[in-house]
Amino acid sequence: MVKKLRAWGVLLVLVSAGCAQKPPPPPPPPPVAAEPTPEPAFVHHVEWRGQTLGAIARWYTGKFDNWKKLTKPVNPDLERCCTTLRVGREVVIPRELLVRTDPMPKPKPKPTVNPGAGSSADAKAPTEEPASEASPEAAAVVSEAPEAAPSPAAAGSANGSASGTVKFKGTTWNVADGVAYPGEGKTIEVALSSKPFDRKEFAKDGKVDSFDIMHHRMDTDANTITLKIEGDGSMNCMDFLLEGGGGSSCGSSQKEGLKLTKRTASTIAGSFALQEAPDSIDVHFDLPITRSVKRAGSALPPGGGEPGKAVIANFAAMRSGDFEKMKAAAAPDKRPEMESAKMPESDKQAMIEFMKSMAPTDVKILGGTVDGDTALVDYQGKRAGQLTKGTAEVKRVDGKWYMVSDTSK
């Protein structure tokens, strides 16, 4: 390594008795300060099929659009939001973007087999659900509904209607459910799915967004298309999450295929048709625009009751930096997963230190709701000296409450 030396003086030639005297040697250059070692990056390990960069960004950073910040140079080989990532790969996430570090939830088990499939262990779950079937959750609370719980007869109309057939990117399915919600700017997004949406899931953060649609795909293996309808009633792009992966389809065919029959502040209705062999889409929708979602269940007592205590205990365990305390505060089904986590010891310690820094202090329970064995607890606290608010999901297992996830605002 070439070192550049700074001149520290001028050579003086002293003549005495006809002899030249050598000047004293220059002082050594000042020491170069060692560059500080950057903190290890937070790394997400893809452990099952169906995870996408957009879903990972939404879970860990709170914003779907942060997937763009997870491409080059952070993850040089990732370029798209909705391509399914291979199992085993790692996704680096800049620490300044993180709002949570608990692992992404695993997909729920697939639906039970068709009644005619028998008891054979090789019988497969149905790939589609007929449009005429409705999930027991379909009548969960939706936006702009009356304060009183809707009757079963009125629930279908409260959720609107969606129907049609989709043959796209190698998948063929019937539309079983639909939901409309605000996108970016004045855009309204209309998501159509092969399986009913679980509207109780929407209520966790009080709204519907693209993350809920991705989570629906991960939980149920449903096929979905999302029509992105601009403020002027046009549509240039359609997002899709399907068995073979996800992405966006844009162009004149999408723009020409949309026909709106109604668009108000609270409702959107119309149809979309696409005929580009081998693909064909013919769908219809008349949906309320869901701007907020009311939680099911009853209000928690002041202080949050036992669910609130579980949240405070979980954050205290995180701040302790003691892995055994963290494990004890985790739900029983999470503990084996924590013990068998495959990562170098240095990464494990780095994650523990980061969890310590992310756990809020001065936690105060603001309220929440409880519905059976699930509670949503709203809290506020301080993180890095700044006021923060969030919602923790808490589950009751064998009579005891455990915090299972947390979303900061």
Side-chain angles (χ1 to χ4, degrees), residues 327-373:
K327 190 171 66 174
D333 62 334
K334 296 288 185 183
R335 294 170 192 168
E337 195 175 308
M338 294 173 67
E339 292 173 345
S340 61
K342 296 179 181 179
M343 64 176 67
E345 186 62 26
S346 58
D347 287 357
K348 182 178 177 180
Q349 290 302 318
M351 180 174 288
I352 289 175
E353 289 301 315
F354 182 72
M355 290 177 70
K356 285 175 59 177
S357 68
M358 290 296 291
T361 60
D362 303 325
V363 177
K364 179 181 179 182
I365 304 302
L366 302 178
T369 57
V370 58
D371 184 20
D373 290 331

Side-chain angles (χ1 to χ4, degrees), residues 7-13 23-24:
W8 290 90
V10 180
L11 178 65
L12 300 178
V13 180

Side-chain angles (χ1 to χ4, degrees), residues 127-372:
T127 57
E128 301 167 6
E129 288 198 22
S132 60
E133 291 186 3
S135 164
E137 303 287 13
V141 183
V142 297
S143 67
E144 307 191 48
E147 288 297 319
S151 65
S157 60
N159 290 337
S161 62
S163 61
T165 59
V166 178
K167 183 180 180 182
F168 192 70
K169 301 290 184 182
T171 65
T172 302
W173 43 280
N174 295 326
V175 174
D177 200 0
V179 63
Y181 54 91
E184 295 185 359
K186 296 182 179 179
T187 301
I188 296 297
E189 301 191 4
V190 175
L192 306 173
S193 170
S194 63
K195 296 182 180 180
F197 289 110
D198 182 352
R199 286 167 172 79
K200 284 188 177 181
E201 287 291 318
F202 299 163
K204 288 182 179 179
D205 60 359
K207 60 182 173 52
V208 186
D209 54 26
S210 56
F211 173 69
D212 291 304
I213 309 307
M214 288 187 290
H215 211 291
H216 171 68
R217 164 67 193 167
M218 293 166 58
D219 286 347
T220 67
D221 284 338
N223 293 307
T224 66
I225 59 172
T226 301
L227 314 179
K228 308 186 82 168
I229 303 171
E230 307 293 336
D232 61 2
S234 65
M235 185 183 84
N236 297 317
C237 292
M238 175 186 75
D239 291 348
F240 56 89
L241 292 170
L242 308 170
E243 294 174 10
S248 295
S249 177
C250 306
S252 59
S253 297
Q254 283 73 17
K255 188 172 184 177
E256 295 167 1
L258 178 69
K259 306 295 181 186
L260 289 185
T261 58
K262 178 170 58 176
R263 177 168 178 172
T264 67
S266 60
T267 307
I268 190 164
S271 63
F272 175 68
L274 175 70
Q275 293 294 332
E276 287 185 344
D279 298 330
S280 65
I281 299 175
D282 183 14
V283 295
H284 302 262
F285 54 90
D286 188 346
L287 300 166
I289 298 174
T290 306
R291 302 184 184 279
S292 61
V293 187
K294 184 180 177 182
R295 295 173 181 170
S298 56
L300 289 171
E306 293 302 316
K309 292 178 182 178
V311 172
I312 293 174
N314 187 281
F315 285 140
M318 290 172 61
R319 291 195 304 270
S320 74
D322 187 319
F323 181 74
E324 291 302 319
K325 289 183 179 179
M326 293 182 188
K327 190 171 66 174
D333 62 334
K334 296 288 185 183
R335 294 170 192 168
E337 195 175 308
M338 294 173 67
E339 292 173 345
S340 61
K342 296 179 181 179
M343 64 176 67
E345 186 62 26
S346 58
D347 287 357
K348 182 178 177 180
Q349 290 302 318
M351 180 174 288
I352 289 175
E353 289 301 315
F354 182 72
M355 290 177 70
K356 285 175 59 177
S357 68
M358 290 296 291
T361 60
D362 303 325
V363 177
K364 179 181 179 182
I365 304 302
L366 302 178
T369 57
V370 58
D371 184 20

Side-chain angles (χ1 to χ4, degrees), residues 69-90:
K69 298 179 181 180
L70 303 186
T71 56
K72 296 179 181 179
V74 181
N75 295 282
D77 59 328
L78 297 181
E79 298 179 349
R80 298 191 177 192
C81 68
C82 303
T83 300
T84 300
L85 303 178
R86 64 175 175 80
V87 175
R89 78 150 294 147
E90 297 179 343

Side-chain angles (χ1 to χ4, degrees), residues 96-143:
E96 62 270 17
L97 296 178
L98 287 167
V99 298
R100 65 190 303 166
T101 58
D102 52 308
M104 290 182 68
K106 291 184 178 180
K108 295 178 181 177
K110 292 185 178 181
T112 55
V113 298
N114 285 322
S119 57
S120 168
D122 296 328
K124 295 183 178 180
T127 57
E128 301 167 6
E129 288 198 22
S132 60
E133 291 186 3
S135 164
E137 303 287 13
V141 183
V142 297
S143 67

